[in-house]
Amino acid sequence: AVVSTQSTGTKKKTKRGKSKKYTALDPPPCLQVKALLKAYIAAVQADNIFTSQAIEDDLKQAVEQNKWISKFILSGYTPNRPISLCHLIKALRAVCYMKIREIYSWRTPVTDSDIVELALLLETPAWKNVSTIELVDGRLSEFGLARLSRTLPVGRLKKLVLDYNSIKDEGMANLLVCLSGNTELTHLSLNYCKLSLESGELLAELLTKSAILHLEVTGNSLECDGAATLVNTITTQDIALKTLLLADNGIDAHDKGKDRGPYLCAKIIRRWLTCTQYLEMCDLRDNQIGDLAAREIMDGLMDRKTAGLKSIQFLVTCRMDASIYKTIQTLGKKSGKGSGKKKKRKKK
């Protein structure tokens, strides 16, 4: 690491109020954070682009406060102000900065070169503690997804967010292969990724072969059949899923010959609601399921209450019978009991 090899004499206060003296083997955070900032600026200047203002500001603040920084948010891209993920990764590697835990890239194009650098970082044992990757609206290519997917069996990611990228069913199949047997990843988000009803079966299989507890697939096209396959697998396999976001997935009766689709799908959801002890939240908003399907969900929530199971948050669109909607709103509201912080006992 690019840090001073001499004792700085700088002190910091521990939790007990005592001062700790930094040494050559335990230098203050500001030295390595400052070295990272310098390496980052040098990397982007060499290619005549710009730094992410958010990252630059966070690094400067960390230097001033003599603190480590573990979360990096790449944002602020415009055609007139291009920024790049790979330059941040190169800087991290250049100074061996290993305090990083979370990488976020929001609305910034992610090139194949960016993904290669990121994949190499995740595959290096020294950076095994990176737990969260978010690549939102990054125009991720087929190659980029495939290369990133290959890191999943060896990495220790807990959360992967790929929202607003064109993953499609082919990409979902690739994720299934690479995540099968993974016991680390617990949160997968694929909102608005152009998944079709075929991905319902792929997602269902993935849940049986992984440790995912939170699944987000809002804004896709799983439709009734894909959603039914997914929920049926969760129910029959007793999968410990806590969160399922299925909003805006075409779960409706608009297609010819599928007028009973929402009702049949809702019957499966009711069976899940009646027995699951794990579910905490389910979102079906922006799906015009109709009154018959809505009644099944309402009855499922009532069955849950009768059985004494814990309350959950269940969200639906308001385009249904007003009384049914109101009942679902009442029953599908997670209880706030126990959510407050416990008061500390006063010392005698």
Side-chain angles (χ1 to χ4, degrees), residues 65-117:
Q65 298 177 353
N66 191 32
K67 293 182 178 180
W68 297 110
I69 180 171
S70 61
K71 180 189 294 186
F72 293 81
I73 302 175
L74 192 75
S75 62
Y77 170 87
T78 66
N80 296 326
R81 187 182 170 84
I83 56 178
S84 169
L85 177 61
C86 72
H87 293 85
L88 171 63
I89 303 297
K90 287 178 180 178
L92 291 167
R93 294 170 66 88
V95 300
C96 296
Y97 188 88
M98 291 176 284
K99 296 294 183 179
I100 184 170
R101 298 294 180 268
E102 303 169 39
I103 299 176
Y104 300 84
S105 177
W106 295 338
R107 294 175 294 280
T108 298
V110 179
T111 66
D112 291 345
S113 297
D114 293 330
I115 293 298
V116 169
E117 289 291 337

Coordinates of all heavy atoms in Angstrom, one line a residue, residues 65-117:
Q65 N -11.5 13.5 8.1 CA -12.0 12.9 9.4 C -11.2 11.7 9.8 O -11.5 11.1 10.9 CB -13.5 12.4 9.2 CG -14.4 13.6 8.9 CD -15.8 13.1 8.6 OE1 -16.1 11.9 8.5 NE2 -16.7 14.1 8.5
N66 N -10.1 11.3 9.0 CA -9.3 10.2 9.4 C -10.1 8.9 9.6 O -10.0 8.2 10.6 CB -8.4 10.5 10.6 CG -7.3 9.5 10.8 OD1 -6.8 8.9 9.9 ND2 -7.0 9.2 12.1
K67 N -10.9 8.6 8.6 CA -11.8 7.4 8.6 C -11.6 6.6 7.3 O -11.3 7.1 6.3 CB -13.3 7.8 8.8 CG -13.6 8.5 10.1 CD -15.1 8.8 10.2 CE -15.5 9.4 11.5 NZ -16.9 9.7 11.6
W68 N -11.9 5.3 7.5 CA -11.9 4.4 6.3 C -13.2 4.7 5.6 O -14.2 5.1 6.2 CB -11.9 3.0 6.8 CG -10.6 2.6 7.4 CD1 -10.4 2.2 8.8 CD2 -9.3 2.4 6.8 NE1 -9.1 1.9 9.0 CE2 -8.4 2.0 7.9 CE3 -8.8 2.6 5.6 CZ2 -7.1 1.8 7.6 CZ3 -7.4 2.4 5.3 CH2 -6.6 2.0 6.4
I69 N -13.2 4.4 4.3 CA -14.4 4.5 3.5 C -14.6 3.1 2.9 O -13.7 2.5 2.3 CB -14.3 5.6 2.4 CG1 -15.6 5.6 1.6 CG2 -13.1 5.4 1.5 CD1 -15.7 6.8 0.7
S70 N -15.9 2.6 3.1 CA -16.1 1.2 2.6 C -17.1 1.2 1.4 O -17.3 0.2 0.8 CB -16.6 0.3 3.7 OG -17.8 0.9 4.3
K71 N -17.9 2.3 1.3 CA -18.9 2.3 0.2 C -18.5 3.3 -0.9 O -18.2 4.5 -0.6 CB -20.2 2.7 0.8 CG -21.4 2.8 -0.2 CD -22.6 3.4 0.4 CE -23.2 2.6 1.5 NZ -24.5 3.2 2.0
F72 N -18.5 2.8 -2.1 CA -18.2 3.7 -3.2 C -19.3 3.8 -4.2 O -19.8 2.8 -4.7 CB -16.9 3.2 -4.0 CG -15.7 3.2 -3.1 CD1 -15.4 2.3 -2.2 CD2 -14.8 4.3 -3.3 CE1 -14.3 2.3 -1.4 CE2 -13.6 4.4 -2.5 CZ -13.4 3.4 -1.6
I73 N -19.8 5.0 -4.5 CA -21.0 5.2 -5.3 C -20.5 6.0 -6.6 O -20.2 7.2 -6.5 CB -22.1 6.0 -4.6 CG1 -22.5 5.2 -3.4 CG2 -23.3 6.2 -5.5 CD1 -23.5 6.0 -2.5
L74 N -20.6 5.3 -7.7 CA -20.2 5.9 -9.0 C -21.5 6.5 -9.6 O -22.4 5.7 -10.0 CB -19.5 4.9 -9.9 CG -18.9 5.4 -11.2 CD1 -17.5 6.1 -10.8 CD2 -18.6 4.3 -12.1
S75 N -21.6 7.8 -9.8 CA -22.8 8.4 -10.4 C -22.4 9.7 -10.9 O -21.3 10.2 -10.7 CB -23.9 8.5 -9.3 OG -23.5 9.4 -8.3
G76 N -23.4 10.3 -11.7 CA -23.2 11.6 -12.2 C -22.7 11.6 -13.7 O -22.2 12.6 -14.2
Y77 N -22.8 10.5 -14.3 CA -22.4 10.4 -15.7 C -23.2 11.2 -16.7 O -24.5 11.3 -16.6 CB -22.4 8.9 -16.2 CG -22.2 8.8 -17.7 CD1 -20.9 8.7 -18.2 CD2 -23.3 8.8 -18.6 CE1 -20.7 8.5 -19.6 CE2 -23.1 8.7 -20.0 CZ -21.8 8.5 -20.5 OH -21.6 8.4 -21.8
T78 N -22.6 12.0 -17.5 CA -23.3 12.6 -18.7 C -22.3 12.5 -19.9 O -21.1 12.3 -19.7 CB -23.5 14.1 -18.4 OG1 -22.2 14.8 -18.3 CG2 -24.3 14.4 -17.1
P79 N -22.9 12.6 -21.1 CA -22.0 12.5 -22.3 C -20.9 13.5 -22.3 O -19.8 13.3 -22.8 CB -23.0 12.8 -23.4 CG -24.3 12.3 -22.9 CD -24.3 12.7 -21.5
N80 N -21.1 14.7 -21.6 CA -20.1 15.7 -21.6 C -19.1 15.5 -20.4 O -18.1 16.2 -20.3 CB -20.7 17.1 -21.5 CG -21.5 17.4 -22.7 OD1 -21.2 17.0 -23.8 ND2 -22.6 18.1 -22.5
R81 N -19.5 14.6 -19.5 CA -18.6 14.3 -18.3 C -18.6 12.8 -18.1 O -19.2 12.3 -17.2 CB -19.2 15.0 -17.1 CG -18.3 14.9 -15.9 CD -18.9 15.6 -14.6 NE -18.2 15.3 -13.5 CZ -17.1 16.0 -13.1 NH1 -16.6 17.0 -13.8 NH2 -16.4 15.6 -12.0
P82 N -17.8 12.1 -19.0 CA -17.8 10.7 -18.8 C -17.0 10.2 -17.6 O -16.0 10.8 -17.2 CB -17.0 10.2 -20.1 CG -16.2 11.4 -20.5 CD -17.0 12.6 -20.1
I83 N -17.5 9.2 -16.9 CA -16.8 8.6 -15.8 C -16.8 7.1 -16.0 O -17.5 6.6 -16.8 CB -17.5 8.9 -14.5 CG1 -18.9 8.5 -14.5 CG2 -17.4 10.4 -14.1 CD1 -19.7 8.8 -13.2
S84 N -15.9 6.4 -15.3 CA -15.7 5.0 -15.6 C -15.4 4.2 -14.3 O -14.7 4.7 -13.4 CB -14.5 4.8 -16.5 OG -14.1 3.5 -16.6
L85 N -16.0 3.0 -14.2 CA -15.8 2.2 -13.1 C -14.4 1.6 -13.0 O -13.8 1.4 -12.0 CB -16.8 1.0 -13.1 CG -16.8 0.0 -12.0 CD1 -17.0 0.6 -10.6 CD2 -17.8 -1.1 -12.3
C86 N -13.8 1.2 -14.2 CA -12.6 0.6 -14.2 C -11.4 1.4 -13.6 O -10.5 0.9 -13.0 CB -12.2 0.1 -15.6 SG -11.7 1.4 -16.7
H87 N -11.5 2.7 -13.7 CA -10.5 3.6 -13.1 C -10.5 3.6 -11.6 O -9.5 3.6 -11.0 CB -10.6 5.0 -13.7 CG -10.4 5.1 -15.1 ND1 -11.3 4.9 -16.1 CD2 -9.2 5.4 -15.8 CE1 -10.8 5.0 -17.3 NE2 -9.5 5.4 -17.2
L88 N -11.7 3.4 -11.1 CA -11.8 3.3 -9.6 C -11.2 1.9 -9.2 O -10.4 1.9 -8.2 CB -13.3 3.4 -9.2 CG -13.5 3.0 -7.7 CD1 -12.8 4.0 -6.8 CD2 -15.0 3.0 -7.4
I89 N -11.5 0.9 -9.9 CA -11.0 -0.5 -9.6 C -9.5 -0.5 -9.7 O -8.8 -1.0 -8.8 CB -11.6 -1.5 -10.5 CG1 -13.1 -1.5 -10.5 CG2 -11.1 -2.9 -10.2 CD1 -13.7 -1.8 -9.1
K90 N -8.9 0.1 -10.7 CA -7.5 0.2 -10.9 C -6.8 0.9 -9.7 O -5.7 0.5 -9.3 CB -7.1 0.9 -12.2 CG -7.4 0.0 -13.5 CD -7.1 0.8 -14.7 CE -7.4 -0.1 -16.0 NZ -7.1 0.6 -17.2
A91 N -7.4 2.0 -9.3 CA -6.9 2.7 -8.1 C -6.9 1.9 -6.9 O -6.0 1.9 -6.1 CB -7.7 4.0 -8.0
L92 N -8.0 1.2 -6.7 CA -8.1 0.3 -5.5 C -7.0 -0.8 -5.5 O -6.4 -1.0 -4.4 CB -9.5 -0.4 -5.5 CG -10.7 0.5 -5.2 CD1 -12.0 -0.3 -5.5 CD2 -10.8 0.9 -3.8
R93 N -6.8 -1.3 -6.6 CA -5.7 -2.4 -6.8 C -4.3 -1.7 -6.6 O -3.4 -2.4 -6.0 CB -5.9 -3.1 -8.1 CG -7.2 -3.9 -8.2 CD -7.4 -4.4 -9.6 NE -6.4 -5.4 -10.0 CZ -6.5 -6.7 -9.8 NH1 -7.6 -7.2 -9.2 NH2 -5.6 -7.5 -10.2
A94 N -4.2 -0.6 -7.2 CA -2.8 0.1 -7.2 C -2.3 0.3 -5.7 O -1.1 0.2 -5.5 CB -2.9 1.4 -7.9
V95 N -3.2 0.7 -4.8 CA -2.8 1.0 -3.5 C -3.2 -0.1 -2.5 O -3.1 0.1 -1.3 CB -3.4 2.4 -3.0 CG1 -2.9 3.5 -3.9 CG2 -4.9 2.3 -2.9
C96 N -3.7 -1.2 -3.0 CA -4.1 -2.3 -2.2 C -5.1 -1.9 -1.1 O -4.9 -2.3 0.1 CB -2.9 -3.0 -1.5 SG -1.7 -3.7 -2.7
Y97 N -6.1 -1.1 -1.5 CA -7.1 -0.7 -0.6 C -8.1 -1.8 -0.4 O -8.9 -2.1 -1.3 CB -7.8 0.6 -1.1 CG -8.7 1.3 -0.1 CD1 -8.2 2.2 0.8 CD2 -10.0 1.0 0.0 CE1 -9.0 2.8 1.7 CE2 -10.9 1.6 0.9 CZ -10.3 2.5 1.8 OH -11.2 3.1 2.7
M98 N -8.1 -2.4 0.8 CA -8.9 -3.6 1.1 C -10.1 -3.3 2.0 O -10.7 -4.3 2.5 CB -8.1 -4.7 1.5 CG -7.1 -5.2 0.4 SD -6.0 -6.5 0.9 CE -4.8 -5.5 1.9
K99 N -10.4 -2.1 2.3 CA -11.5 -1.8 3.2 C -12.8 -1.6 2.5 O -13.9 -1.4 3.1 CB -11.2 -0.5 4.0 CG -10.0 -0.5 4.9 CD -10.2 -1.5 6.0 CE -9.0 -1.5 7.0 NZ -9.2 -2.4 8.1
I100 N -12.8 -1.8 1.2 CA -14.0 -1.7 0.4 C -15.0 -2.8 0.7 O -14.6 -4.0 0.7 CB -13.7 -1.6 -1.1 CG1 -15.0 -1.3 -1.9 CG2 -12.9 -2.8 -1.6 CD1 -14.7 -1.0 -3.4
R101 N -16.3 -2.5 0.8 CA -17.3 -3.5 1.0 C -18.4 -3.4 0.0 O -19.0 -4.4 -0.3 CB -17.9 -3.4 2.4 CG -16.9 -3.6 3.6 CD -16.4 -5.0 3.6 NE -15.4 -5.2 4.7 CZ -14.1 -5.0 4.6 NH1 -13.6 -4.7 3.4 NH2 -13.3 -5.2 5.6
E102 N -18.7 -2.2 -0.5 CA -19.8 -2.0 -1.4 C -19.5 -1.2 -2.6 O -18.8 -0.1 -2.4 CB -21.0 -1.4 -0.6 CG -21.4 -2.1 0.6 CD -22.4 -1.3 1.5 OE1 -23.2 -0.6 0.9 OE2 -22.3 -1.4 2.7
I103 N -19.9 -1.6 -3.8 CA -19.6 -0.8 -5.0 C -21.0 -0.6 -5.7 O -21.7 -1.5 -6.0 CB -18.7 -1.6 -6.0 CG1 -17.3 -1.8 -5.3 CG2 -18.5 -0.8 -7.3 CD1 -16.4 -2.7 -6.2
Y104 N -21.3 0.7 -5.9 CA -22.5 1.1 -6.6 C -22.2 1.9 -7.9 O -21.4 2.8 -7.8 CB -23.4 2.0 -5.7 CG -23.8 1.3 -4.4 CD1 -22.9 1.3 -3.3 CD2 -25.0 0.7 -4.2 CE1 -23.2 0.7 -2.1 CE2 -25.4 0.1 -3.0 CZ -24.5 0.1 -1.9 OH -24.8 -0.5 -0.8
S105 N -22.8 1.5 -9.0 CA -22.7 2.2 -10.2 C -24.1 2.5 -10.7 O -24.8 1.6 -11.1 CB -21.9 1.4 -11.3 OG -21.9 2.1 -12.5
W106 N -24.5 3.8 -10.6 CA -25.9 4.1 -11.0 C -26.0 5.0 -12.2 O -25.3 6.0 -12.3 CB -26.5 4.9 -9.8 CG -26.7 4.1 -8.5 CD1 -26.7 2.8 -8.4 CD2 -26.8 4.7 -7.2 NE1 -26.8 2.4 -7.1 CE2 -26.9 3.5 -6.3 CE3 -26.8 5.9 -6.7 CZ2 -27.0 3.7 -4.9 CZ3 -26.9 6.1 -5.3 CH2 -27.0 5.0 -4.4
R107 N -26.7 4.5 -13.2 CA -27.0 5.2 -14.5 C -25.7 5.7 -15.1 O -25.5 6.8 -15.6 CB -27.9 6.4 -14.2 CG -29.3 6.0 -13.8 CD -30.2 7.2 -13.4 NE -29.7 7.9 -12.2 CZ -29.9 7.5 -11.0 NH1 -30.6 6.4 -10.8 NH2 -29.4 8.1 -10.0
T108 N -24.7 4.8 -15.1 CA -23.4 5.0 -15.7 C -23.1 3.8 -16.6 O -23.1 2.7 -16.1 CB -22.3 5.1 -14.6 OG1 -22.6 6.2 -13.8 CG2 -20.9 5.3 -15.2
P109 N -22.8 4.0 -17.8 CA -22.4 2.9 -18.7 C -21.3 2.0 -18.2 O -20.3 2.6 -17.8 CB -22.0 3.6 -20.0 CG -22.7 4.9 -20.0 CD -22.7 5.3 -18.5
V110 N -21.5 0.7 -18.2 CA -20.5 -0.2 -17.7 C -20.0 -1.0 -18.9 O -20.7 -1.8 -19.5 CB -21.1 -1.1 -16.7 CG1 -20.1 -2.1 -16.2 CG2 -21.7 -0.4 -15.5
T111 N -18.8 -0.7 -19.3 CA -18.2 -1.4 -20.5 C -17.7 -2.8 -20.1 O -17.6 -3.1 -18.9 CB -17.1 -0.5 -21.0 OG1 -16.0 -0.5 -20.1 CG2 -17.5 0.9 -21.3
D112 N -17.3 -3.5 -21.1 CA -16.7 -4.8 -20.9 C -15.4 -4.7 -20.1 O -15.1 -5.6 -19.3 CB -16.5 -5.6 -22.3 CG -17.8 -5.9 -22.9 OD1 -18.8 -5.9 -22.2 OD2 -17.8 -6.3 -24.1
S113 N -14.7 -3.7 -20.4 CA -13.4 -3.4 -19.7 C -13.7 -3.2 -18.2 O -12.9 -3.7 -17.3 CB -12.7 -2.2 -20.3 OG -12.3 -2.5 -21.6
D114 N -14.7 -2.5 -17.9 CA -15.1 -2.2 -16.5 C -15.4 -3.5 -15.8 O -15.0 -3.8 -14.7 CB -16.4 -1.3 -16.4 CG -16.1 0.1 -16.9 OD1 -15.0 0.6 -16.8 OD2 -17.1 0.7 -17.5
I115 N -16.2 -4.4 -16.5 CA -16.6 -5.7 -15.9 C -15.3 -6.6 -15.7 O -15.2 -7.3 -14.7 CB -17.6 -6.4 -16.8 CG1 -18.9 -5.6 -16.8 CG2 -17.8 -7.8 -16.3 CD1 -19.6 -5.5 -15.4
V116 N -14.4 -6.6 -16.6 CA -13.2 -7.4 -16.5 C -12.4 -7.0 -15.3 O -12.0 -7.8 -14.5 CB -12.3 -7.3 -17.8 CG1 -11.0 -7.9 -17.5 CG2 -13.0 -8.0 -18.9
E117 N -12.3 -5.7 -15.1 CA -11.5 -5.2 -13.9 C -12.3 -5.5 -12.6 O -11.7 -5.9 -11.6 CB -11.4 -3.6 -14.0 CG -10.4 -3.2 -15.1 CD -8.9 -3.5 -14.7 OE1 -8.6 -3.7 -13.6 OE2 -8.1 -3.6 -15.7

